[in-house]
PDB file of all heavy atoms in Angstrom:
ATOM      1  N   TYR M 262      -5.816   6.706 -10.941  1.00  0.00           N
ATOM      2  CA  TYR M 262      -4.520   6.151 -11.317  1.00  0.00           C
ATOM      3  C   TYR M 262      -4.665   4.696 -11.760  1.00  0.00           C
ATOM      4  O   TYR M 262      -3.733   4.140 -12.335  1.00  0.00           O
ATOM      5  CB  TYR M 262      -3.547   6.173 -10.131  1.00  0.00           C
ATOM      6  CG  TYR M 262      -3.193   7.536  -9.576  1.00  0.00           C
ATOM      7  CD1 TYR M 262      -2.645   7.643  -8.299  1.00  0.00           C
ATOM      8  CD2 TYR M 262      -3.385   8.706 -10.305  1.00  0.00           C
ATOM      9  CE1 TYR M 262      -2.294   8.874  -7.768  1.00  0.00           C
ATOM     10  CE2 TYR M 262      -3.050   9.940  -9.783  1.00  0.00           C
ATOM     11  CZ  TYR M 262      -2.504  10.027  -8.505  1.00  0.00           C
ATOM     12  OH  TYR M 262      -2.157  11.243  -7.984  1.00  0.00           O
ATOM     13  N   TYR M 263      -5.829   4.089 -11.471  1.00  0.00           N
ATOM     14  CA  TYR M 263      -5.997   2.653 -11.650  1.00  0.00           C
ATOM     15  C   TYR M 263      -7.187   2.348 -12.570  1.00  0.00           C
ATOM     16  O   TYR M 263      -8.140   3.125 -12.653  1.00  0.00           O
ATOM     17  CB  TYR M 263      -6.171   1.984 -10.293  1.00  0.00           C
ATOM     18  CG  TYR M 263      -5.022   2.334  -9.363  1.00  0.00           C
ATOM     19  CD1 TYR M 263      -5.146   3.358  -8.423  1.00  0.00           C
ATOM     20  CD2 TYR M 263      -3.798   1.679  -9.473  1.00  0.00           C
ATOM     21  CE1 TYR M 263      -4.080   3.716  -7.606  1.00  0.00           C
ATOM     22  CE2 TYR M 263      -2.727   2.025  -8.659  1.00  0.00           C
ATOM     23  CZ  TYR M 263      -2.874   3.047  -7.730  1.00  0.00           C
ATOM     24  OH  TYR M 263      -1.811   3.406  -6.935  1.00  0.00           O
ATOM     25  N   VAL M 264      -7.114   1.206 -13.235  1.00  0.00           N
ATOM     26  CA  VAL M 264      -8.095   0.846 -14.254  1.00  0.00           C
ATOM     27  C   VAL M 264      -9.474   0.564 -13.659  1.00  0.00           C
ATOM     28  O   VAL M 264     -10.493   1.052 -14.152  1.00  0.00           O
ATOM     29  CB  VAL M 264      -7.601  -0.378 -15.058  1.00  0.00           C
ATOM     30  CG1 VAL M 264      -8.701  -0.888 -15.988  1.00  0.00           C
ATOM     31  CG2 VAL M 264      -6.348  -0.018 -15.860  1.00  0.00           C
ATOM     32  N   ASP M 265      -9.528  -0.226 -12.605  1.00  0.00           N
ATOM     33  CA  ASP M 265     -10.825  -0.665 -12.080  1.00  0.00           C
ATOM     34  C   ASP M 265     -10.842  -0.599 -10.548  1.00  0.00           C
ATOM     35  O   ASP M 265     -10.930  -1.630  -9.867  1.00  0.00           O
ATOM     36  CB  ASP M 265     -11.109  -2.091 -12.550  1.00  0.00           C
ATOM     37  CG  ASP M 265     -12.526  -2.532 -12.251  1.00  0.00           C
ATOM     38  OD1 ASP M 265     -13.397  -1.656 -12.083  1.00  0.00           O
ATOM     39  OD2 ASP M 265     -12.763  -3.754 -12.187  1.00  0.00           O
ATOM     40  N   PRO M 266     -10.771   0.602  -9.973  1.00  0.00           N
ATOM     41  CA  PRO M 266     -10.710   0.705  -8.510  1.00  0.00           C
ATOM     42  C   PRO M 266     -12.060   0.440  -7.858  1.00  0.00           C
ATOM     43  O   PRO M 266     -13.112   0.691  -8.433  1.00  0.00           O
ATOM     44  CB  PRO M 266     -10.296   2.170  -8.297  1.00  0.00           C
ATOM     45  CG  PRO M 266     -10.905   2.883  -9.469  1.00  0.00           C
ATOM     46  CD  PRO M 266     -10.772   1.919 -10.631  1.00  0.00           C
ATOM     47  N   VAL M 267     -12.029  -0.066  -6.634  1.00  0.00           N
ATOM     48  CA  VAL M 267     -13.221  -0.204  -5.801  1.00  0.00           C
ATOM     49  C   VAL M 267     -13.193   0.955  -4.803  1.00  0.00           C
ATOM     50  O   VAL M 267     -12.211   1.122  -4.073  1.00  0.00           O
ATOM     51  CB  VAL M 267     -13.241  -1.547  -5.048  1.00  0.00           C
ATOM     52  CG1 VAL M 267     -14.405  -1.600  -4.065  1.00  0.00           C
ATOM     53  CG2 VAL M 267     -13.307  -2.703  -6.037  1.00  0.00           C
ATOM     54  N   VAL M 268     -14.244   1.772  -4.780  1.00  0.00           N
ATOM     55  CA  VAL M 268     -14.293   2.955  -3.911  1.00  0.00           C
ATOM     56  C   VAL M 268     -15.417   2.789  -2.898  1.00  0.00           C
ATOM     57  O   VAL M 268     -16.571   2.551  -3.269  1.00  0.00           O
ATOM     58  CB  VAL M 268     -14.498   4.246  -4.730  1.00  0.00           C
ATOM     59  CG1 VAL M 268     -14.599   5.461  -3.805  1.00  0.00           C
ATOM     60  CG2 VAL M 268     -13.357   4.431  -5.731  1.00  0.00           C
ATOM     61  N   LEU M 269     -15.090   2.912  -1.616  1.00  0.00           N
ATOM     62  CA  LEU M 269     -16.045   2.783  -0.523  1.00  0.00           C
ATOM     63  C   LEU M 269     -15.971   4.026   0.361  1.00  0.00           C
ATOM     64  O   LEU M 269     -14.890   4.578   0.565  1.00  0.00           O
ATOM     65  CB  LEU M 269     -15.735   1.538   0.315  1.00  0.00           C
ATOM     66  CG  LEU M 269     -15.632   0.205  -0.439  1.00  0.00           C
ATOM     67  CD1 LEU M 269     -15.086  -0.877   0.479  1.00  0.00           C
ATOM     68  CD2 LEU M 269     -16.991  -0.194  -0.998  1.00  0.00           C
ATOM     69  N   THR M 270     -17.109   4.455   0.904  1.00  0.00           N
ATOM     70  CA  THR M 270     -17.125   5.624   1.770  1.00  0.00           C
ATOM     71  C   THR M 270     -17.867   5.319   3.070  1.00  0.00           C
ATOM     72  O   THR M 270     -18.683   4.404   3.140  1.00  0.00           O
ATOM     73  CB  THR M 270     -17.801   6.825   1.085  1.00  0.00           C
ATOM     74  OG1 THR M 270     -19.157   6.492   0.775  1.00  0.00           O
ATOM     75  CG2 THR M 270     -17.070   7.216  -0.195  1.00  0.00           C
ATOM     76  N   HIS M 271     -17.557   6.121   4.093  1.00  0.00           N
ATOM     77  CA  HIS M 271     -18.251   6.011   5.382  1.00  0.00           C
ATOM     78  C   HIS M 271     -18.455   7.427   5.922  1.00  0.00           C
ATOM     79  O   HIS M 271     -17.979   8.402   5.337  1.00  0.00           O
ATOM     80  CB  HIS M 271     -17.456   5.142   6.364  1.00  0.00           C
ATOM     81  CG  HIS M 271     -16.042   5.596   6.588  1.00  0.00           C
ATOM     82  ND1 HIS M 271     -15.700   6.556   7.507  1.00  0.00           N
ATOM     83  CD2 HIS M 271     -14.872   5.207   6.000  1.00  0.00           C
ATOM     84  CE1 HIS M 271     -14.388   6.738   7.495  1.00  0.00           C
ATOM     85  NE2 HIS M 271     -13.863   5.936   6.581  1.00  0.00           N
ATOM     86  N   GLU M 272     -19.164   7.537   7.023  1.00  0.00           N
ATOM     87  CA  GLU M 272     -19.537   8.844   7.569  1.00  0.00           C
ATOM     88  C   GLU M 272     -18.631   9.274   8.716  1.00  0.00           C
ATOM     89  O   GLU M 272     -19.045  10.040   9.583  1.00  0.00           O
ATOM     90  CB  GLU M 272     -20.999   8.808   8.045  1.00  0.00           C
ATOM     91  CG  GLU M 272     -22.006   8.459   6.952  1.00  0.00           C
ATOM     92  CD  GLU M 272     -22.010   9.454   5.807  1.00  0.00           C
ATOM     93  OE1 GLU M 272     -21.793  10.660   6.078  1.00  0.00           O
ATOM     94  OE2 GLU M 272     -22.233   9.042   4.659  1.00  0.00           O
ATOM     95  N   GLN M 273     -17.386   8.822   8.703  1.00  0.00           N
ATOM     96  CA  GLN M 273     -16.442   9.216   9.741  1.00  0.00           C
ATOM     97  C   GLN M 273     -15.340  10.087   9.155  1.00  0.00           C
ATOM     98  O   GLN M 273     -15.445  10.532   8.013  1.00  0.00           O
ATOM     99  CB  GLN M 273     -15.872   7.972  10.433  1.00  0.00           C
ATOM    100  CG  GLN M 273     -16.893   7.211  11.256  1.00  0.00           C
ATOM    101  CD  GLN M 273     -16.290   5.989  11.915  1.00  0.00           C
ATOM    102  OE1 GLN M 273     -16.561   4.846  11.537  1.00  0.00           O
ATOM    103  NE2 GLN M 273     -15.446   6.213  12.933  1.00  0.00           N
ATOM    104  N   SER M 274     -14.295  10.302   9.930  1.00  0.00           N
ATOM    105  CA  SER M 274     -13.267  11.253   9.545  1.00  0.00           C
ATOM    106  C   SER M 274     -12.027  10.546   9.008  1.00  0.00           C
ATOM    107  O   SER M 274     -12.122   9.507   8.357  1.00  0.00           O
ATOM    108  CB  SER M 274     -12.931  12.149  10.744  1.00  0.00           C
ATOM    109  OG  SER M 274     -12.010  13.154  10.384  1.00  0.00           O
ATOM    110  N   HIS M 275     -10.847  11.107   9.325  1.00  0.00           N
ATOM    111  CA  HIS M 275      -9.562  10.620   8.828  1.00  0.00           C
ATOM    112  C   HIS M 275      -9.113   9.464   9.720  1.00  0.00           C
ATOM    113  O   HIS M 275      -8.243   9.632  10.587  1.00  0.00           O
ATOM    114  CB  HIS M 275      -8.553  11.778   8.866  1.00  0.00           C
ATOM    115  CG  HIS M 275      -7.334  11.550   8.030  1.00  0.00           C
ATOM    116  ND1 HIS M 275      -7.344  11.584   6.647  1.00  0.00           N
ATOM    117  CD2 HIS M 275      -6.056  11.284   8.377  1.00  0.00           C
ATOM    118  CE1 HIS M 275      -6.123  11.372   6.185  1.00  0.00           C
ATOM    119  NE2 HIS M 275      -5.324  11.167   7.218  1.00  0.00           N
TER     120      HIS M 275
END
Side-chain angles (χ1 to χ4, degrees):
Y262 298 162
Y263 306 97
V264 172
D265 190 22
V267 173
V268 178
L269 306 170
T270 61
H271 55 85
E272 301 299 326
Q273 292 180 251
S274 185
H275 197 72

